[in-house]
Amino acid sequence: MNWQRLYAIFLKELRQMRRDRITLAMIVVIPVMQLVLFGYAINLNLRHLPAGIADQAGNAASRTVVMDMLATGVISPVARANTPEQLMDLLRRGDISVGVVIPPDFERRLNEGREAIQVLVDGSDTVVQSAAIQLARMPLTQASASRTEPISVVSFYNPERRSAVNIVPGLIGVILTMTMVLFTAVAIVRERERGNMELLIATPVSRAELMVGKVLPYAGIGLVQTSVILLLGLWLFQVPIRGSVWEVYVAAVLLILANLTLGLLISTRAQSQFQAMQMTFFVFLPSILLSGFMFPFAGMPQVVQWLAEALPLTHFLRLIRGIMLRGADLTEMWREVLALLVFTALMMTLAILRFRKRLD
Amino acid sequence: MNSGQGPAIQARGLSKQFGTLRAVDNVDLTVPRGHVYGFLGPNGSGKSTTIRMLCGLLTPSAGEIQVLGLNVPEEAEALRLRIGYMTQKFSLFEDLTVRENLEFLAAVQGLPRQQARERIDQLIDQYHFADRQKQLAGTMSGGQKQRLALAGAVINEPELLFLDEPTSAVDPESRRDFWEKLFDLADLGTTILVSTHYMDEAERCHRIAILDRGVLVADGAPGALTRDLAGRCVEVVAAQPRRAQQVLVNFPGVLSVAQIGNSLRVLAQAKEDLSATLSGALQQAGLEASVHQAEPNLEDVFVAATRGQTRDGAGSDAA
Ligand SMILES: Nc1ncnc2c1ncn2[C@@H]1O[C@H](COP(=O)(O)OP(=O)(O)OP(=O)(O)O)[C@@H](O)[C@H]1O
Ligand SMILES: [Mg+2]
């Protein structure tokens, strides 16, 4: 490895990047957009489901129950109805997601311990369904005054169960996985497409110099993105960093390296930028679905879990959630650190072996 | 390394197979040191492929190559510090400026900082880029790009320079300029292998090789190659050149007929004086024409070599 040549490649890449306005914009726009999307729009704790209410009892007790339901914030009244049939119409048309029916004999049923309230749900959306089921479990005592929940769930580390707190650390991983793999893969394939590769391999630049020099600037970009997400997360959603900030960055660097080397490997295979893009998504999709970012890891079948263990994002998520939310430190999670390092070494070796300083 | 002795390039039985296509077929090539060596051939005849094999960018399917005393492709890495290669397609970075491109090449060639700066200043001056140092390479004209590519290829003062159609987009004036530079380099001892489609450029080379469908069909000094064709060239000045051409083109013994203004240039398949026979044929067809022997030129050599039928030119080693 010759430092002068390595630096020459690095500097060239940096200069080209500076002139590539779109890529430059993407570096900041992608994390900001994703953060806002996941933080605000994709809120896994559903709130304000459009609801229709048919209060057939129309007395003080039934009104109290309705007010209690609205107070949970899960539903917002958008329609009033007189009969369950009208509510079903509204449901079918998609005007409401939830219908609440309070029958005329509401109080008598309550006293007799029979079903007092009917909740109609749009079952075509599983998330809405589960939210409505929670609503139906709302304890109903006659006076609605002294209510005690028979079972209470206490959530450690995220007492308010805000999803932003869970999502933001993971989002660092998701964004780094997407941008780092794609940027590097495309950066090298583009060189091949534009004919620069013939010039490069005719120079004394070695394979390792070329690869390392090309990915280093992107590692810098990854750290910028990490900082953007951390700051915005803190500012918009008050996401805490309970462990050390320094270790958050170490974890980010580990993931960045794993993804950059994966991008390099892809670049040795892809013939065009489009192919590089396709291959990136081939890796990106399982990363999102299986790493534990979207769905809990424990709920997945054994085979899928093994598969997920091969994804860098899986290990990063454990690291970053540990550091940011539980205040754990890296030494406690050395297995994940090791996994990321092994992945990086493996990808780098494969990429360098596969990359030929030849045109055929 | 044994730099001083032996030819700059020596290839034996060089072949390259792309699937079913034999792009280069059993080519023997010797390029003496300090020569400007021209590489001619129709499109797709294997010039670029041969050059790429000689610089170690393509692995030959068969054959042996020694360049500057090094075995290629095995020792290609050591070779890269001593050669310059200008690709047929512009391969510098379009989104870097003129100066940045040169800085990059100087650095990867391992020039120390101070020396690199001096060398770049010198090249920028020599290659007339003083007022465009900060222009992006991609925004320059075709000829300017090629000038920049040459400057880039010689930045490490290579012993051997491969130029793949370096003047394909260059105006005649700049082409002359370009070749002056090549001879300056040759004077300093640089060996140059240059592919071209221009006969006037081929004329200037110390020696040329002509490839046709991957086969080496002629190899020698331009003067010797044209001398070999003596007696096979006839010039026909006719009032109606198109009609005269129609009469002559299928005439037995005629290899090719090309119109040049009002006259026709006829190349015989073999060494025989066709002037009398052709003159008779034209008179018979009722066409007014004067027919006389002409001095062969390199274009005739090219046509004779690549028209296939006779392979007289091949291997004529008269240098
Ligand atoms: N990588 C490749 N794969 C398959 N065929 C190839 C490849 N490179 C070149 N060829 C074929 O080999 C033949 C020789 O190509 P080459 O580029 O060497 O020609 P050339 O003499 O340089 O032509 P030109 O004057 O047009 O530049 C052509 O028929 C071309 O299609
Ligand atoms: Mg070519």
Side-chain angles (χ1 to χ4, degrees), chain A residues 4-5 8 12 15-16 19 191 194-196 198-199 201 203-205 357-360, chain B residues 16 52 56-57 59 73 77 80-81 85 89 91-93 95 100 103 107-111:
Chain A
Q4 189 192 6
R5 286 203 289 258
K12 165 195 90 70
R15 283 171 162 169
Q16 290 182 299
R19 298 207 171 97
E191 221 120 80
R194 291 187 186 166
N196 305 133
E198 186 167 358
L199 172 92
I201 60 180
T203 67
V205 172
K357 275 192 80 182
R358 295 278 160 80
L359 290 169
D360 52 2
Chain B
K16 181 69 189 179
R52 285 174 175 152
L57 298 179
T59 321
E77 284 307 314
R80 299 200 203 288
L81 284 164
Y85 170 42
K89 179 176 178 287
S91 59
L92 287 174
F93 302 96
D95 44 2
E100 287 167 351
E103 281 171 357
V108 294
Q109 287 290 352
L111 268 65

mmCIF file of all heavy atoms in Angstrom, chain A residues 4-5 8 12 15-16 19 191 194-196 198-199 201 203-205 357-360, chain B residues 16 52 56-57 59 73 77 80-81 85 89 91-93 95 100 103 107-111:
data_model
loop_
_atom_site.group_PDB
_atom_site.id
_atom_site.type_symbol
_atom_site.label_atom_id
_atom_site.label_comp_id
_atom_site.label_asym_id
_atom_site.label_seq_id
_atom_site.Cartn_x
_atom_site.Cartn_y
_atom_site.Cartn_z
ATOM 1 N N GLN A 4 0.955 7.675 -1.034
ATOM 2 C CA GLN A 4 0.771 8.746 -2.008
ATOM 3 C C GLN A 4 -0.316 8.379 -3.016
ATOM 4 O O GLN A 4 -1.196 9.172 -3.333
ATOM 5 C CB GLN A 4 2.092 9.009 -2.736
ATOM 6 C CG GLN A 4 2.021 10.247 -3.602
ATOM 7 C CD GLN A 4 3.211 10.343 -4.551
ATOM 8 O OE1 GLN A 4 4.028 9.432 -4.642
ATOM 9 N NE2 GLN A 4 3.301 11.443 -5.245
ATOM 10 N N ARG A 5 -0.275 7.148 -3.497
ATOM 11 C CA ARG A 5 -1.267 6.720 -4.475
ATOM 12 C C ARG A 5 -2.646 6.622 -3.847
ATOM 13 O O ARG A 5 -3.648 7.004 -4.434
ATOM 14 C CB ARG A 5 -0.852 5.375 -5.080
ATOM 15 C CG ARG A 5 0.311 5.511 -6.052
ATOM 16 C CD ARG A 5 0.321 4.352 -7.019
ATOM 17 N NE ARG A 5 0.709 3.126 -6.342
ATOM 18 C CZ ARG A 5 1.917 2.581 -6.416
ATOM 19 N NH1 ARG A 5 2.835 3.148 -7.148
ATOM 20 N NH2 ARG A 5 2.190 1.471 -5.783
ATOM 21 N N ALA A 8 -3.991 9.963 -3.574
ATOM 22 C CA ALA A 8 -4.368 10.482 -4.898
ATOM 23 C C ALA A 8 -5.774 10.011 -5.275
ATOM 24 O O ALA A 8 -6.602 10.792 -5.739
ATOM 25 C CB ALA A 8 -3.363 10.033 -5.955
ATOM 26 N N LYS A 12 -9.057 12.459 -5.539
ATOM 27 C CA LYS A 12 -9.797 12.476 -6.804
ATOM 28 C C LYS A 12 -11.275 12.219 -6.536
ATOM 29 O O LYS A 12 -12.150 12.920 -7.033
ATOM 30 C CB LYS A 12 -9.255 11.400 -7.737
ATOM 31 C CG LYS A 12 -10.161 11.105 -8.911
ATOM 32 C CD LYS A 12 -9.801 9.812 -9.598
ATOM 33 C CE LYS A 12 -10.491 8.598 -9.059
ATOM 34 N NZ LYS A 12 -11.914 8.466 -9.314
ATOM 35 N N ARG A 15 -12.927 15.180 -4.926
ATOM 36 C CA ARG A 15 -13.141 16.279 -5.867
ATOM 37 C C ARG A 15 -14.317 15.993 -6.781
ATOM 38 O O ARG A 15 -15.113 16.873 -7.086
ATOM 39 C CB ARG A 15 -11.876 16.494 -6.705
ATOM 40 C CG ARG A 15 -10.797 17.224 -5.947
ATOM 41 C CD ARG A 15 -9.503 17.218 -6.724
ATOM 42 N NE ARG A 15 -8.608 18.259 -6.226
ATOM 43 C CZ ARG A 15 -7.333 18.352 -6.564
ATOM 44 N NH1 ARG A 15 -6.806 17.474 -7.405
ATOM 45 N NH2 ARG A 15 -6.592 19.313 -6.083
ATOM 46 N N GLN A 16 -14.419 14.739 -7.219
ATOM 47 C CA GLN A 16 -15.534 14.388 -8.095
ATOM 48 C C GLN A 16 -16.850 14.502 -7.341
ATOM 49 O O GLN A 16 -17.842 14.969 -7.873
ATOM 50 C CB GLN A 16 -15.362 12.965 -8.620
ATOM 51 C CG GLN A 16 -14.235 12.848 -9.608
ATOM 52 C CD GLN A 16 -14.113 11.449 -10.163
ATOM 53 O OE1 GLN A 16 -13.886 10.503 -9.425
ATOM 54 N NE2 GLN A 16 -14.274 11.310 -11.453
ATOM 55 N N ARG A 19 -18.353 17.900 -7.007
ATOM 56 C CA ARG A 19 -19.003 18.456 -8.203
ATOM 57 C C ARG A 19 -20.312 17.753 -8.512
ATOM 58 O O ARG A 19 -21.031 18.152 -9.416
ATOM 59 C CB ARG A 19 -18.071 18.311 -9.402
ATOM 60 C CG ARG A 19 -16.800 19.087 -9.191
ATOM 61 C CD ARG A 19 -16.159 19.532 -10.472
ATOM 62 N NE ARG A 19 -15.072 20.443 -10.130
ATOM 63 C CZ ARG A 19 -13.801 20.063 -10.028
ATOM 64 N NH1 ARG A 19 -13.461 18.824 -10.300
ATOM 65 N NH2 ARG A 19 -12.880 20.933 -9.685
ATOM 66 N N GLU A 191 -17.135 4.191 -13.001
ATOM 67 C CA GLU A 191 -15.809 4.315 -13.574
ATOM 68 C C GLU A 191 -15.642 3.357 -14.759
ATOM 69 O O GLU A 191 -15.027 3.681 -15.762
ATOM 70 C CB GLU A 191 -14.771 3.993 -12.502
ATOM 71 C CG GLU A 191 -13.609 4.903 -12.556
ATOM 72 C CD GLU A 191 -13.401 5.684 -11.284
ATOM 73 O OE1 GLU A 191 -12.847 5.106 -10.360
ATOM 74 O OE2 GLU A 191 -13.768 6.860 -11.218
ATOM 75 N N ARG A 194 -17.794 4.663 -17.737
ATOM 76 C CA ARG A 194 -17.271 5.852 -18.413
ATOM 77 C C ARG A 194 -15.926 5.611 -19.079
ATOM 78 O O ARG A 194 -15.376 6.504 -19.705
ATOM 79 C CB ARG A 194 -17.111 6.990 -17.405
ATOM 80 C CG ARG A 194 -18.423 7.517 -16.897
ATOM 81 C CD ARG A 194 -18.149 8.736 -16.041
ATOM 82 N NE ARG A 194 -19.358 9.212 -15.411
ATOM 83 C CZ ARG A 194 -19.370 10.085 -14.412
ATOM 84 N NH1 ARG A 194 -18.221 10.553 -13.961
ATOM 85 N NH2 ARG A 194 -20.494 10.491 -13.885
ATOM 86 N N GLY A 195 -15.363 4.427 -18.893
ATOM 87 C CA GLY A 195 -14.084 4.122 -19.540
ATOM 88 C C GLY A 195 -12.873 4.519 -18.708
ATOM 89 O O GLY A 195 -11.751 4.344 -19.135
ATOM 90 N N ASN A 196 -13.102 5.079 -17.496
ATOM 91 C CA ASN A 196 -11.965 5.482 -16.670
ATOM 92 C C ASN A 196 -11.178 4.274 -16.161
ATOM 93 O O ASN A 196 -10.002 4.370 -15.852
ATOM 94 C CB ASN A 196 -12.429 6.274 -15.439
ATOM 95 C CG ASN A 196 -13.277 7.470 -15.807
ATOM 96 O OD1 ASN A 196 -14.330 7.696 -15.234
ATOM 97 N ND2 ASN A 196 -12.813 8.232 -16.776
ATOM 98 N N GLU A 198 -10.131 1.667 -17.662
ATOM 99 C CA GLU A 198 -9.004 1.264 -18.515
ATOM 100 C C GLU A 198 -7.777 2.107 -18.196
ATOM 101 O O GLU A 198 -6.653 1.612 -18.187
ATOM 102 C CB GLU A 198 -9.396 1.402 -20.000
ATOM 103 C CG GLU A 198 -8.324 0.865 -20.924
ATOM 104 C CD GLU A 198 -8.788 0.693 -22.361
ATOM 105 O OE1 GLU A 198 -9.967 0.963 -22.655
ATOM 106 O OE2 GLU A 198 -7.960 0.287 -23.175
ATOM 107 N N LEU A 199 -8.009 3.395 -17.926
ATOM 108 C CA LEU A 199 -6.904 4.273 -17.554
ATOM 109 C C LEU A 199 -6.343 3.853 -16.200
ATOM 110 O O LEU A 199 -5.130 3.731 -16.026
ATOM 111 C CB LEU A 199 -7.407 5.718 -17.487
ATOM 112 C CG LEU A 199 -6.420 6.734 -16.924
ATOM 113 C CD1 LEU A 199 -5.615 7.342 -18.050
ATOM 114 C CD2 LEU A 199 -7.127 7.824 -16.145
ATOM 115 N N ILE A 201 -6.457 0.978 -14.500
ATOM 116 C CA ILE A 201 -5.708 -0.271 -14.376
ATOM 117 C C ILE A 201 -4.426 -0.250 -15.196
ATOM 118 O O ILE A 201 -3.563 -1.082 -14.992
ATOM 119 C CB ILE A 201 -6.566 -1.509 -14.740
ATOM 120 C CG1 ILE A 201 -7.057 -1.429 -16.175
ATOM 121 C CG2 ILE A 201 -7.734 -1.657 -13.796
ATOM 122 C CD1 ILE A 201 -7.886 -2.615 -16.550
ATOM 123 N N THR A 203 -2.388 2.162 -14.862
ATOM 124 C CA THR A 203 -1.441 2.880 -14.005
ATOM 125 C C THR A 203 -0.918 1.926 -12.931
ATOM 126 O O THR A 203 -1.455 0.835 -12.764
ATOM 127 C CB THR A 203 -2.114 4.069 -13.294
ATOM 128 O OG1 THR A 203 -3.066 3.562 -12.363
ATOM 129 C CG2 THR A 203 -2.798 4.994 -14.287
ATOM 130 N N PRO A 204 0.104 2.335 -12.187
ATOM 131 C CA PRO A 204 0.654 1.438 -11.162
ATOM 132 C C PRO A 204 -0.232 1.295 -9.921
ATOM 133 O O PRO A 204 0.157 0.608 -8.988
ATOM 134 C CB PRO A 204 1.969 2.112 -10.778
ATOM 135 C CG PRO A 204 2.254 3.113 -11.833
ATOM 136 C CD PRO A 204 0.949 3.526 -12.385
ATOM 137 N N VAL A 205 -1.404 1.897 -9.896
ATOM 138 C CA VAL A 205 -2.286 1.780 -8.729
ATOM 139 C C VAL A 205 -2.605 0.313 -8.451
ATOM 140 O O VAL A 205 -2.957 -0.421 -9.366
ATOM 141 C CB VAL A 205 -3.611 2.529 -8.995
ATOM 142 C CG1 VAL A 205 -4.606 2.262 -7.897
ATOM 143 C CG2 VAL A 205 -3.358 4.010 -9.134
ATOM 144 N N LYS A 357 -7.025 -6.572 -12.317
ATOM 145 C CA LYS A 357 -6.519 -5.415 -13.065
ATOM 146 C C LYS A 357 -6.398 -5.798 -14.532
ATOM 147 O O LYS A 357 -5.358 -5.682 -15.149
ATOM 148 C CB LYS A 357 -5.171 -4.953 -12.493
ATOM 149 C CG LYS A 357 -5.349 -3.999 -11.317
ATOM 150 C CD LYS A 357 -4.051 -3.330 -10.943
ATOM 151 C CE LYS A 357 -3.752 -2.169 -11.875
ATOM 152 N NZ LYS A 357 -2.464 -1.530 -11.575
ATOM 153 N N ARG A 358 -7.470 -6.295 -15.067
ATOM 154 C CA ARG A 358 -7.517 -6.695 -16.468
ATOM 155 C C ARG A 358 -8.872 -6.258 -17.017
ATOM 156 O O ARG A 358 -9.801 -6.023 -16.275
ATOM 157 C CB ARG A 358 -7.444 -8.227 -16.612
ATOM 158 C CG ARG A 358 -6.165 -8.848 -16.157
ATOM 159 C CD ARG A 358 -5.062 -8.769 -17.204
ATOM 160 N NE ARG A 358 -3.755 -8.940 -16.582
ATOM 161 C CZ ARG A 358 -3.243 -10.120 -16.252
ATOM 162 N NH1 ARG A 358 -3.910 -11.202 -16.523
ATOM 163 N NH2 ARG A 358 -2.079 -10.198 -15.665
ATOM 164 N N LEU A 359 -8.951 -6.235 -18.309
ATOM 165 C CA LEU A 359 -10.235 -5.882 -18.912
ATOM 166 C C LEU A 359 -11.075 -7.111 -19.210
ATOM 167 O O LEU A 359 -12.260 -7.020 -19.477
ATOM 168 C CB LEU A 359 -10.014 -5.101 -20.210
ATOM 169 C CG LEU A 359 -9.451 -3.689 -20.036
ATOM 170 C CD1 LEU A 359 -9.034 -3.121 -21.366
ATOM 171 C CD2 LEU A 359 -10.457 -2.789 -19.363
ATOM 172 N N ASP A 360 -10.431 -8.305 -19.196
ATOM 173 C CA ASP A 360 -11.205 -9.523 -19.498
ATOM 174 C C ASP A 360 -11.348 -10.433 -18.296
ATOM 175 O O ASP A 360 -10.791 -10.198 -17.264
ATOM 176 C CB ASP A 360 -10.596 -10.306 -20.657
ATOM 177 C CG ASP A 360 -9.111 -10.584 -20.461
ATOM 178 O OD1 ASP A 360 -8.562 -10.197 -19.416
ATOM 179 O OD2 ASP A 360 -8.516 -11.173 -21.354
ATOM 180 N N LYS B 16 -5.748 -13.562 -29.729
ATOM 181 C CA LYS B 16 -6.801 -13.293 -28.755
ATOM 182 C C LYS B 16 -8.139 -13.755 -29.302
ATOM 183 O O LYS B 16 -8.530 -13.382 -30.414
ATOM 184 C CB LYS B 16 -6.880 -11.795 -28.441
ATOM 185 C CG LYS B 16 -7.945 -11.442 -27.410
ATOM 186 C CD LYS B 16 -7.574 -11.962 -26.030
ATOM 187 C CE LYS B 16 -8.719 -11.810 -25.040
ATOM 188 N NZ LYS B 16 -8.370 -12.332 -23.719
ATOM 189 N N ARG B 52 -3.815 -3.519 -26.131
ATOM 190 C CA ARG B 52 -4.197 -3.858 -24.750
ATOM 191 C C ARG B 52 -3.432 -5.075 -24.256
ATOM 192 O O ARG B 52 -3.059 -5.139 -23.083
ATOM 193 C CB ARG B 52 -5.698 -4.130 -24.669
ATOM 194 C CG ARG B 52 -6.510 -2.854 -24.731
ATOM 195 C CD ARG B 52 -7.979 -3.158 -24.799
ATOM 196 N NE ARG B 52 -8.770 -1.942 -24.747
ATOM 197 C CZ ARG B 52 -9.961 -1.825 -25.304
ATOM 198 N NH1 ARG B 52 -10.494 -2.850 -25.938
ATOM 199 N NH2 ARG B 52 -10.628 -0.700 -25.215
ATOM 200 N N GLY B 56 -0.656 -5.367 -21.103
ATOM 201 C CA GLY B 56 -1.047 -6.238 -19.992
ATOM 202 C C GLY B 56 -2.461 -6.015 -19.508
ATOM 203 O O GLY B 56 -2.811 -6.388 -18.397
ATOM 204 N N LEU B 57 -3.301 -5.386 -20.305
ATOM 205 C CA LEU B 57 -4.686 -5.153 -19.882
ATOM 206 C C LEU B 57 -5.594 -6.301 -20.293
ATOM 207 O O LEU B 57 -6.649 -6.502 -19.707
ATOM 208 C CB LEU B 57 -5.226 -3.854 -20.497
ATOM 209 C CG LEU B 57 -4.494 -2.584 -20.100
ATOM 210 C CD1 LEU B 57 -5.108 -1.385 -20.777
ATOM 211 C CD2 LEU B 57 -4.513 -2.407 -18.596
ATOM 212 N N THR B 59 -5.496 -10.533 -21.321
ATOM 213 C CA THR B 59 -4.666 -11.736 -21.290
ATOM 214 C C THR B 59 -4.701 -12.391 -22.666
ATOM 215 O O THR B 59 -5.785 -12.680 -23.172
ATOM 216 C CB THR B 59 -5.227 -12.726 -20.254
ATOM 217 O OG1 THR B 59 -5.665 -11.986 -19.125
ATOM 218 C CG2 THR B 59 -4.187 -13.724 -19.841
ATOM 219 N N PRO B 73 1.606 -10.954 -19.651
ATOM 220 C CA PRO B 73 1.131 -10.098 -18.562
ATOM 221 C C PRO B 73 1.726 -10.365 -17.187
ATOM 222 O O PRO B 73 1.413 -9.613 -16.256
ATOM 223 C CB PRO B 73 -0.369 -10.407 -18.534
ATOM 224 C CG PRO B 73 -0.500 -11.797 -19.032
ATOM 225 C CD PRO B 73 0.623 -12.006 -19.998
ATOM 226 N N GLU B 77 2.760 -5.342 -13.771
ATOM 227 C CA GLU B 77 2.775 -4.297 -12.736
ATOM 228 C C GLU B 77 4.078 -3.491 -12.780
ATOM 229 O O GLU B 77 4.058 -2.272 -12.656
ATOM 230 C CB GLU B 77 2.568 -4.908 -11.356
ATOM 231 C CG GLU B 77 1.119 -5.316 -11.065
ATOM 232 C CD GLU B 77 0.121 -4.184 -11.300
ATOM 233 O OE1 GLU B 77 0.367 -3.046 -10.859
ATOM 234 O OE2 GLU B 77 -0.904 -4.452 -11.946
ATOM 235 N N ARG B 80 4.096 -1.035 -15.711
ATOM 236 C CA ARG B 80 3.213 0.136 -15.726
ATOM 237 C C ARG B 80 3.911 1.436 -15.332
ATOM 238 O O ARG B 80 3.448 2.513 -15.683
ATOM 239 C CB ARG B 80 2.022 -0.090 -14.793
ATOM 240 C CG ARG B 80 1.179 -1.286 -15.194
ATOM 241 C CD ARG B 80 -0.200 -1.212 -14.586
ATOM 242 N NE ARG B 80 -0.846 -2.514 -14.484
ATOM 243 C CZ ARG B 80 -1.327 -3.203 -15.516
ATOM 244 N NH1 ARG B 80 -1.216 -2.720 -16.727
ATOM 245 N NH2 ARG B 80 -1.904 -4.370 -15.327
ATOM 246 N N LEU B 81 5.012 1.322 -14.576
ATOM 247 C CA LEU B 81 5.732 2.530 -14.194
ATOM 248 C C LEU B 81 6.550 3.067 -15.367
ATOM 249 O O LEU B 81 6.999 4.202 -15.347
ATOM 250 C CB LEU B 81 6.672 2.226 -13.018
ATOM 251 C CG LEU B 81 5.997 2.086 -11.658
ATOM 252 C CD1 LEU B 81 6.925 1.411 -10.670
ATOM 253 C CD2 LEU B 81 5.578 3.457 -11.137
ATOM 254 N N TYR B 85 0.066 4.996 -21.680
ATOM 255 C CA TYR B 85 -0.953 4.403 -22.553
ATOM 256 C C TYR B 85 -2.068 5.413 -22.742
ATOM 257 O O TYR B 85 -2.665 5.880 -21.786
ATOM 258 C CB TYR B 85 -1.479 3.106 -21.924
ATOM 259 C CG TYR B 85 -2.698 2.502 -22.602
ATOM 260 C CD1 TYR B 85 -2.800 2.441 -23.994
ATOM 261 C CD2 TYR B 85 -3.739 1.978 -21.841
ATOM 262 C CE1 TYR B 85 -3.917 1.876 -24.601
ATOM 263 C CE2 TYR B 85 -4.849 1.403 -22.438
ATOM 264 C CZ TYR B 85 -4.936 1.358 -23.819
ATOM 265 O OH TYR B 85 -6.037 0.806 -24.419
ATOM 266 N N LYS B 89 -10.686 5.641 -26.492
ATOM 267 C CA LYS B 89 -11.778 6.460 -25.977
ATOM 268 C C LYS B 89 -11.198 7.308 -24.845
ATOM 269 O O LYS B 89 -10.399 6.817 -24.051
ATOM 270 C CB LYS B 89 -12.861 5.522 -25.438
ATOM 271 C CG LYS B 89 -14.057 6.204 -24.837
ATOM 272 C CD LYS B 89 -15.091 5.130 -24.426
ATOM 273 C CE LYS B 89 -16.301 5.751 -23.768
ATOM 274 N NZ LYS B 89 -16.039 6.235 -22.392
ATOM 275 N N SER B 91 -10.321 8.643 -21.548
ATOM 276 C CA SER B 91 -10.534 7.932 -20.287
ATOM 277 C C SER B 91 -10.065 8.730 -19.077
ATOM 278 O O SER B 91 -10.009 8.214 -17.975
ATOM 279 C CB SER B 91 -9.822 6.585 -20.325
ATOM 280 O OG SER B 91 -8.447 6.784 -20.537
ATOM 281 N N LEU B 92 -9.743 10.003 -19.276
ATOM 282 C CA LEU B 92 -9.464 10.836 -18.110
ATOM 283 C C LEU B 92 -10.801 11.212 -17.472
ATOM 284 O O LEU B 92 -11.859 10.924 -18.017
ATOM 285 C CB LEU B 92 -8.673 12.082 -18.521
ATOM 286 C CG LEU B 92 -7.215 11.798 -18.878
ATOM 287 C CD1 LEU B 92 -6.533 13.030 -19.420
ATOM 288 C CD2 LEU B 92 -6.462 11.271 -17.675
ATOM 289 N N PHE B 93 -10.741 11.879 -16.323
ATOM 290 C CA PHE B 93 -11.975 12.138 -15.582
ATOM 291 C C PHE B 93 -12.615 13.432 -16.058
ATOM 292 O O PHE B 93 -12.038 14.495 -15.927
ATOM 293 C CB PHE B 93 -11.683 12.169 -14.092
ATOM 294 C CG PHE B 93 -11.071 10.892 -13.622
ATOM 295 C CD1 PHE B 93 -9.698 10.762 -13.512
ATOM 296 C CD2 PHE B 93 -11.865 9.783 -13.348
ATOM 297 C CE1 PHE B 93 -9.124 9.568 -13.125
ATOM 298 C CE2 PHE B 93 -11.300 8.589 -12.961
ATOM 299 C CZ PHE B 93 -9.938 8.478 -12.844
ATOM 300 N N ASP B 95 -15.087 14.999 -14.900
ATOM 301 C CA ASP B 95 -15.510 15.934 -13.847
ATOM 302 C C ASP B 95 -14.336 16.413 -12.991
ATOM 303 O O ASP B 95 -14.532 16.874 -11.878
ATOM 304 C CB ASP B 95 -16.624 15.323 -12.986
ATOM 305 C CG ASP B 95 -16.335 13.888 -12.612
ATOM 306 O OD1 ASP B 95 -15.261 13.383 -12.986
ATOM 307 O OD2 ASP B 95 -17.174 13.271 -11.942
ATOM 308 N N GLU B 100 -6.252 19.091 -12.287
ATOM 309 C CA GLU B 100 -6.531 18.002 -11.336
ATOM 310 C C GLU B 100 -6.266 16.637 -11.960
ATOM 311 O O GLU B 100 -5.747 15.728 -11.304
ATOM 312 C CB GLU B 100 -7.985 18.088 -10.853
ATOM 313 C CG GLU B 100 -8.242 19.229 -9.889
ATOM 314 C CD GLU B 100 -9.721 19.500 -9.651
ATOM 315 O OE1 GLU B 100 -10.562 18.914 -10.374
ATOM 316 O OE2 GLU B 100 -10.033 20.286 -8.754
ATOM 317 N N GLU B 103 -2.598 16.201 -11.970
ATOM 318 C CA GLU B 103 -2.125 15.977 -10.598
ATOM 319 C C GLU B 103 -2.377 14.532 -10.176
ATOM 320 O O GLU B 103 -1.522 13.884 -9.564
ATOM 321 C CB GLU B 103 -2.846 16.921 -9.623
ATOM 322 C CG GLU B 103 -2.296 18.326 -9.625
ATOM 323 C CD GLU B 103 -3.148 19.305 -8.819
ATOM 324 O OE1 GLU B 103 -4.203 18.897 -8.295
ATOM 325 O OE2 GLU B 103 -2.751 20.477 -8.738
ATOM 326 N N ALA B 107 0.508 11.768 -9.317
ATOM 327 C CA ALA B 107 0.555 11.131 -7.999
ATOM 328 C C ALA B 107 0.529 9.608 -8.108
ATOM 329 O O ALA B 107 1.297 8.927 -7.430
ATOM 330 C CB ALA B 107 -0.609 11.618 -7.141
ATOM 331 N N VAL B 108 -0.337 9.060 -8.978
ATOM 332 C CA VAL B 108 -0.375 7.600 -9.047
ATOM 333 C C VAL B 108 0.885 7.043 -9.716
ATOM 334 O O VAL B 108 1.246 5.898 -9.508
ATOM 335 C CB VAL B 108 -1.625 7.045 -9.778
ATOM 336 C CG1 VAL B 108 -2.884 7.346 -8.999
ATOM 337 C CG2 VAL B 108 -1.724 7.551 -11.187
ATOM 338 N N GLN B 109 1.567 7.877 -10.493
ATOM 339 C CA GLN B 109 2.825 7.423 -11.070
ATOM 340 C C GLN B 109 3.975 7.576 -10.075
ATOM 341 O O GLN B 109 5.111 7.218 -10.379
ATOM 342 C CB GLN B 109 3.149 8.198 -12.360
ATOM 343 C CG GLN B 109 2.283 7.823 -13.545
ATOM 344 C CD GLN B 109 2.577 6.429 -14.087
ATOM 345 O OE1 GLN B 109 3.537 5.793 -13.675
ATOM 346 N NE2 GLN B 109 1.750 5.961 -15.000
ATOM 347 N N GLY B 110 3.661 8.127 -8.913
ATOM 348 C CA GLY B 110 4.665 8.202 -7.856
ATOM 349 C C GLY B 110 5.653 9.344 -7.970
ATOM 350 O O GLY B 110 6.735 9.299 -7.397
ATOM 351 N N LEU B 111 5.315 10.388 -8.724
ATOM 352 C CA LEU B 111 6.209 11.546 -8.782
ATOM 353 C C LEU B 111 6.177 12.286 -7.448
ATOM 354 O O LEU B 111 5.095 12.583 -6.938
ATOM 355 C CB LEU B 111 5.768 12.514 -9.888
ATOM 356 C CG LEU B 111 6.386 12.357 -11.277
ATOM 357 C CD1 LEU B 111 5.978 11.039 -11.892
ATOM 358 C CD2 LEU B 111 5.950 13.509 -12.162
#
